[in-house]
Amino acid sequence: MKLSRRRGLQLEAFGSVLIVTVMLADRFLFSIQDGFILTCAVISAAALILGIRTVKRADEEAQQDQPL
């Protein structure tokens, strides 16, 4: 599956917002079970990794497509 650069940036943003939201909610609003925090952290990490790789690949392809 090939993702666009824009989708990669969206995945990066989603991963960042997810983990920050969960951590802030746990800290200031209520206590969240550790299993839920760990699950969110794993999902966030996966989204960030996929997003970063997608953006990097899109940038490399765009650079190769440019004439010298």
Side-chain angles (χ1 to χ4, degrees):
M1 176 170 79
K2 187 174 180 179
L3 299 173
S4 67
R5 185 177 195 281
R6 181 176 177 191
R7 182 64 63 188
L9 291 171
Q10 289 172 342
L11 283 168
E12 287 181 22
F14 167 74
S16 298
V17 169
L18 174 65
I19 197 62
V20 168
T21 302
V22 170
M23 292 175 70
L24 288 174
D26 182 55
R27 174 78 171 121
F28 295 110
L29 298 178
F30 50 86
S31 182
I32 300 175
Q33 292 181 352
D34 290 340
F36 180 75
I37 294 174
L38 180 61
T39 301
C40 288
V42 169
I43 293 170
S44 176
L48 284 167
I49 290 169
L50 183 59
I52 290 168
R53 286 184 179 180
T54 301
V55 170
K56 183 177 178 182
R57 183 176 39 234
D59 287 347
E60 287 173 353
E61 287 176 2
Q63 191 176 32
Q64 289 176 354
D65 291 343
Q66 291 179 347
L68 297 175

